[in-house]
Amino acid sequence: MTRFFATGKGSLMASFLLLLTLFTSSLLITDAQIGVCYGMMGNNLPSKREVVDLYRANNIRRMRLYDPNQEALDALRNSGIELMLGIPNDNLQNLAASRANADQWAQRFVFNYYPSVNIKYIAVGNEVNPVGGSSWAARYVLPAIQNVYQAIRARGLHDQIKVSTAIDTTLIGTSYPPSKGSFRNDVRSYLNPIIGYLVYANAPLLANVYPYFAYKGNPRDISLSYALFNSPNVVVQDGSRGYQNLFDAMLDSIHAALDSTGIGYVKVVVSESGWPSAGEFGATYDNAETYLDNLIRHVNRGTPMRPGPIETYVFAMFDENQKNPELERHFGLFYPNKQKKYPFGFGA
């Protein structure tokens, strides 16, 4: 580097421009990996049009919607924002019942908007657990996915719009070390056919990954610095792979769990990750600011098991005052008055 600079002003300027280009490219790549979840469970939130404008003003290029709110879809037209469109759990039975129902749903909420609304994913159900409180919905997830997929495929859009479902990490039975990650035995009969579909359709699994809840549940064994991406050294050595943050370890345990089924390769998109600023143990403004800032910076790097950008949706856009328990009201990046809660941004 010293020899390069010593050749004169022209070389110095060339070097500067090269570094500036690389830095700018890095920012754009990082920005492109980050989306933000738009929840609406508040009685003091801005209009849907104002929210879309706020996304654009802050260079947030991806949005997750939890249901096909038509006012939000109208506001998204020609915005350039990529969309993960959710189907709530209470709609799954209807969509699983018949292909005709799925065709009707797709016409109303997808084909009437696409491509002016850039729908990239359809998330069929969220955090359905076959042995948990949402067990009633488990039987409907795969047939609903298949019916919606066939509706999308019939229009020739199955390569542009991927149909999947969002899981949480409670379905993981073994997560330590990450390379030994595996799904719980009591959910395998539910998950394996879904994974088979994802392989067939070349669609990613959507996963909600929250180091906060892992830390809150076991602060004795999980250090705060490890959960916040702040650990200066490797905390978990897993063979040749070293883990300095819990997010990578959790995500790689999902990668390993998918691989261990032997069904085929499936990419993972992080459909939620966040840290609350109040409401319970470890939920402070400083912790949330640190986690979210570091997460946004980190996603371009990949994990030890799967290097490369990690498409990630931050939870959530706003504090939502109608959610329960109290903790759930404090995940916002913005206050309902559209002011930033934290000083960081998403690049230029």
Side-chain angles (χ1 to χ4, degrees), residues 7 9 15 22 46-47 53 58 66 86 122 136 161 164 184 197 205 208 284 306-307 331 339 341:
T7 58
K9 292 181 180 178
S15 176
L22 291 172
S47 71
D53 289 344
N58 286 276
Y66 289 92
I122 298 173
W136 62 270
I161 304 173
S164 187
R184 287 167 28 200
Y197 154 79
L205 179 66
N208 300 341
T284 69
R306 293 192 183 175
F331 277 88
Q339 295 302 305
K341 187 190 292 187

Side-chain angles (χ1 to χ4, degrees), residues 119-141:
I119 300 169
K120 185 176 184 181
Y121 302 116
I122 298 173
V124 183
N126 184 52
E127 297 187 349
V128 174
N129 189 329
V131 293
S134 55
S135 59
W136 62 270
R139 73 180 77 174
Y140 305 121
V141 174

Side-chain angles (χ1 to χ4, degrees), residues 5 30 43 46 69 75 80 169 182 195 266 273 291 336:
F5 281 140
T30 300
N43 60 11
N69 181 285
T169 52
S182 62
I195 295 167
V266 175
S273 191
Y291 178 81

Side-chain angles (χ1 to χ4, degrees), residues 93-168:
Q93 184 174 1
N94 177 64
L95 292 174
S98 72
R99 166 71 188 278
N101 290 352
D103 286 342
Q104 185 179 34
W105 182 93
Q107 180 62 55
R108 183 179 181 187
F109 298 118
V110 178
F111 307 137
N112 285 350
Y113 293 94
Y114 187 87
S116 65
V117 177
N118 188 7
I119 300 169
K120 185 176 184 181
Y121 302 116
I122 298 173
V124 183
N126 184 52
E127 297 187 349
V128 174
N129 189 329
V131 293
S134 55
S135 59
W136 62 270
R139 73 180 77 174
Y140 305 121
V141 174
L142 182 58
I145 289 174
Q146 291 170 324
N147 284 340
V148 172
Y149 171 78
Q150 291 300 333
I152 301 298
R153 186 183 177 91
R155 295 291 187 98
L157 294 174
H158 54 290
D159 289 332
Q160 289 76 39
I161 304 173
K162 297 298 184 179
V163 184
S164 187
T165 190
I167 68 166
D168 65 27

Side-chain angles (χ1 to χ4, degrees), residues 176 210-236 243-247 249-250 275 281-282 287 290-291:
Y176 182 87
Y210 282 95
Y212 167 74
F213 289 108
Y215 166 70
K216 181 173 80 76
N218 188 12
R220 187 187 68 177
D221 295 326
I222 298 174
S223 71
L224 182 61
S225 62
Y226 185 53
L228 295 178
F229 296 92
N230 276 347
S231 177
N233 302 305
V234 169
V235 175
V236 173
Y243 290 85
Q244 286 186 242
N245 68 80
L246 182 56
F247 177 85
M250 294 176 71
W275 195 288
F281 173 81
N287 287 347
T290 299
Y291 178 81

